[in-house]
Amino acid sequence: MERVWELRECDPDRSQALAGALDVPLLLARLLLQRQVQDAEQARRFLAPSLAELDDPSSMKGMDTAVARLEEAIKRGEKVCIYGDYDVDGVTSVSVLLLFLRRVGLQVEYFIPSRLVEGYGLNAASIEEIAARGTSLLLTVDCGISDVDQVEVARRAGMDVVIIDHHQVPEEVPAAVTILNPHQPGCTFPTKDLAAVGVVFNLVIALRADLRDKGMFTRGEEPNLRAYLDLVSLGTVADIVPLLQENRIITRFGLEELTAGRRPGVAALKEVAGMLSDDVAVGQV
């Protein structure tokens, strides 16, 4: 079947001006304008993003409370469990949070439900088993925002719950200690379309910064968060969120980490995909 390209109309004067300011072909300037890139500075950020331009994690509603609760868990030596999801976004969310929290001294385990047995979201029976193992803090990632009854089961079992999610927020939300979700009312975080792993990454950034301010990393053992971007970008791309704003920055630098393949699991995935020595890119198939 023959395909016919239909080009959107674009102001010729603005196209010429942007092409001249950037010293790029006119077609590229037109495409940028059609992607709501309005001027040369926005175009620079779009074409050559910087990690310094990541959004401020503290602007995410609930972030201060989440950081404080995790620091309390570190201080008390509490047992923590991360309850995730079985898709790529869920698994990478669990991985990033698990690796970082263990790095800063927490006793952390994780639970990823079976799609066929427990299904999606929090499972009451599994929550009770987690609580029975002495867990006092339950962190949900890529799930939980709609699980009012299940969070109540967790609370009655003696666990605090922090929800880290990115799905649309229902009218009734669970009675958690706090919720991290850019879609919740009153959240001023600029990038609304983060994958769950992007929300997790912002929590990790905020927690590391606060621990640094409190003197935890005085011996130079501060975790390098750039090394986590392979997992963050993998979950971001696999969840098919728009590669704009913070997602674009995460993916830009995460692709470099995926190409390097320093993580054994990532290297194994690249080998299975037949691209062990290839640069990793993003595209449609």
Side-chain angles (χ1 to χ4, degrees), residues 170-186:
E171 289 187 10
E172 182 183 7
V173 297
V177 170
T178 193
I179 296 172
L180 299 181
N181 187 325
H183 294 293
Q184 63 181 318

Side-chain angles (χ1 to χ4, degrees), residues 3 28 41 47 51 59-60 63 69 111 115 119 136 146 148 187 192 203 208 214 247 249 255 263 265 273 278:
R3 295 184 179 183
L28 178 56
E41 177 58 23
L47 296 172
L51 288 173
S59 67
M60 190 177 295
M63 185 61 75
R69 183 62 186 87
F111 179 83
R115 182 173 188 170
S136 56
S146 301
V148 174
C187 182
K192 298 300 182 183
L203 172 58
R208 185 188 68 166
K214 293 178 178 176
N247 289 332
I249 301 172
L255 290 176
R263 198 179 303 279
D278 295 343

Side-chain angles (χ1 to χ4, degrees), residues 30-49:
R30 292 182 62 184
L31 291 172
L32 288 169
L33 287 170
Q34 290 170 0
R35 284 160 175 75
Q36 307 305 313
V37 176
Q38 302 297 326
D39 54 40
E41 177 58 23
Q42 287 185 9
R44 184 199 62 76
R45 293 186 179 187
F46 185 86
L47 296 172

